[in-house]
Amino acid sequence: MKNVKKLRAPIRQSKQNIKLTKELLKRLPFGFIFTAEVTTSSMEPLLPVGCLVKVKRIRIAQVNAGEIVMFANTNYRYPAVHRVIKKVKRNSRILLFTKGDNAPQADVYPIEQTNFIGIVVQKLNSQGEYEDLVIPKVYSWRSWLKRLFTFYK
């Protein structure tokens, strides 16, 4: 990562500043792309701590299972970056259930549009260049088997 400057937030931020940052990110216009830093090890080895990612602000309805999203959560100090494991539509609301790749279990609370920020589209590689994140079309064995058995019915 030579020739790449990392802009780090001050170590001690007030709760009010953190809350303001989360609110500002959620109010960005759809289609806006910004750079963020991964702050936890929950998405390792794909996104290690300190890795820079590009996040695109989109509507929650456009997200699919297997994609990596950024969201604001009161349980986390900074916006979190986790993978969507399930997308559910209840009444007129869309809920995303997430889990960090390195986490032992899924997140307790689902993501709604009110705390959804955007989708991670690129990450900075070791050569200092951004590369697209390739999300497999078939995310899990369960969905692959379900498609296989549906095909042969």
Side-chain angles (χ1 to χ4, degrees), residues 20 26 37 41 52 55-56 60-61 67 92 123 131 137 139 152:
L20 182 62
K26 291 188 293 186
E37 182 178 355
S41 62
L52 295 178
V55 180
K56 183 175 183 180
I60 197 167
E67 294 178 320
S92 61
K123 73 171 187 170
E131 62 182 33
K137 295 231 184 248
Y139 174 62
Y152 285 108

Side-chain angles (χ1 to χ4, degrees), residues 25-121:
L25 289 174
K26 291 188 293 186
R27 293 173 193 259
L28 290 172
F30 293 113
F32 189 84
I33 297 174
F34 64 95
T35 303
E37 182 178 355
V38 176
T39 58
T40 67
S41 62
S42 64
M43 285 300 294
E44 287 185 343
L46 180 65
L47 301 174
V49 174
C51 175
L52 295 178
V53 294
K54 287 197 177 182
V55 180
K56 183 175 183 180
R57 181 87 167 103
I58 62 170
R59 297 187 197 304
I60 197 167
Q62 297 172 283
V63 178
N64 296 309
E67 294 178 320
I68 299 170
V69 296
M70 176 180 270
F71 59 97
N73 189 324
T74 55
N75 297 328
Y76 303 122
R77 183 176 175 144
Y78 299 106
V81 174
H82 284 173
R83 188 179 303 275
V84 176
I85 56 173
K86 188 176 184 182
K87 179 179 174 180
V88 175
K89 188 172 183 179
R90 287 197 188 138
N91 302 326
S92 61
R93 296 180 355 200
I94 294 176
L95 303 174
L96 301 178
F97 293 87
T98 58
K99 178 186 176 298
D101 288 356
N102 196 27
Q105 59 193 31
D107 297 331
V108 177
Y109 301 105
I111 302 169
E112 300 182 52
Q113 183 66 56
T114 54
N115 59 340
F116 177 73
I117 295 172
I119 184 170
V120 177
V121 291

